[in-house]
Amino acid sequence: AQSVTQPDIHITVSEGASLELRCNYSYGATPYLFWYVQSPGQGLQLLLKYFSGDTLVQGIKGFEAEFKRSQSSFNLRKPSVHWSDAAEYFCAVSTGNQFYFGTGTSLTVIP
Amino acid sequence: KAGVTQTPRYLIKTRGQQVTLSCSPISGHRSVSWYQQTPGQGLQFLFEYFSETQRNKGNFPGRFSGRQFSNSRSEMNVSTLELGDSALYLCASSLEGLGGNTIYFGEGSWLTVV
């Protein structure tokens, strides 16, 4: 069965520090991959997506992610975190007829 | 360009009642999908509609149903509400569906069942 794993439930970083959020998926073929961010009480905002091609994708707000087929991973990175980045981050996988989310990683940013 | 719009944003229902949630997709988008978000189960896919037909379905009981109109607007209905149905219900739209399309989410409808 397909699944998406975000191993880190909660991460705390200092403002200005770099960030990496992990995501692993289980799927037989290359899936469509997404990262979304959710602020408290809000919907999901798309940060970036990978469908094919260059495995390093750039997104909004200075985020990027790298697709590694050999590791079935799609980790999200940001070189310098801002206090406004504090939120819940979800990795998601689409197989074309189903959409699966990870359990989310809650990011706290300390000044 | 207006985003995905969901109404109502908040509602409270009693066990046993039914509820209907509405979703207006981004203009030009023909696919609408629905999701349930709860603290215990996280984000789960309910179903997807395309051109007024349910095209894909998640693993939810038949109490959860939906429909899509010719203008791509969609409604989701939950009958015989249970306490466990309390959740944030998210609607999303895309041009052609779940595969290889950017999927945009609305702000959600918060349902509380008492």
Side-chain angles (χ1 to χ4, degrees), chain A residues 42-85:
Chain A
Q42 302 298 313
L44 298 172
Q45 181 182 22
L46 177 69
L47 287 174
L48 46 78
K49 62 186 186 289
Y50 173 79
F51 292 165
S52 65
D54 192 349
T55 56
L56 183 64
V57 294
Q58 302 297 320
I60 63 171
K61 302 184 179 185
F63 285 94
E64 67 176 28
E66 186 172 12
F67 169 59
K68 292 186 177 180
R69 186 189 309 274
S70 61
Q71 299 175 20
S72 297
S73 69
F74 188 56
N75 294 348
L76 182 72
R77 300 193 294 252
K78 185 169 184 178
S80 178
V81 169
H82 188 262
W83 64 265
S84 60
D85 293 325

Side-chain angles (χ1 to χ4, degrees), chain A residues 32 34 36 38 40-46 49 51 88 90 94-103, chain B residues 9-10 35 37 43-45 48 56-58 88 90 98-108 110:
Chain A
Y32 305 105
F34 304 82
Y36 288 90
Q38 185 178 39
Q42 302 298 313
L44 298 172
Q45 181 182 22
L46 177 69
K49 62 186 186 289
F51 292 165
E88 188 92 14
F90 292 93
S94 172
T95 62
N97 55 23
Q98 291 282 326
F99 209 77
Y100 301 93
F101 285 93
T103 50
Chain B
R9 289 295 317 279
Y10 305 91
Y35 305 80
Q37 185 176 23
L43 277 156
Q44 295 183 282
F45 169 73
E48 182 216 2
N56 295 296
K57 189 177 187 304
L88 175 64
L90 292 164
L98 302 179
N101 290 273
T102 302
I103 297 165
Y104 298 93
F105 284 81
E107 296 287 302
W110 285 94

Side-chain angles (χ1 to χ4, degrees), chain B residues 10-57:
Chain B
Y10 305 91
L11 67 166
I12 300 173
K13 291 287 187 178
T14 304
R15 265 185 306 175
Q17 287 186 316
Q18 71 165 8
V19 66
T20 298
L21 308 177
S22 180
C23 174
S24 293
I26 292 172
S27 178
H29 285 192
R30 296 196 294 164
S31 167
V32 174
S33 50
W34 289 89
Y35 305 80
Q36 181 195 64
Q37 185 176 23
T38 61
Q41 299 298 317
L43 277 156
Q44 295 183 282
F45 169 73
L46 280 155
F47 32 65
E48 182 216 2
Y49 283 84
F50 183 83
S51 292
E52 302 178 64
T53 301
Q54 186 181 90
R55 188 160 66 173
N56 295 296
K57 189 177 187 304

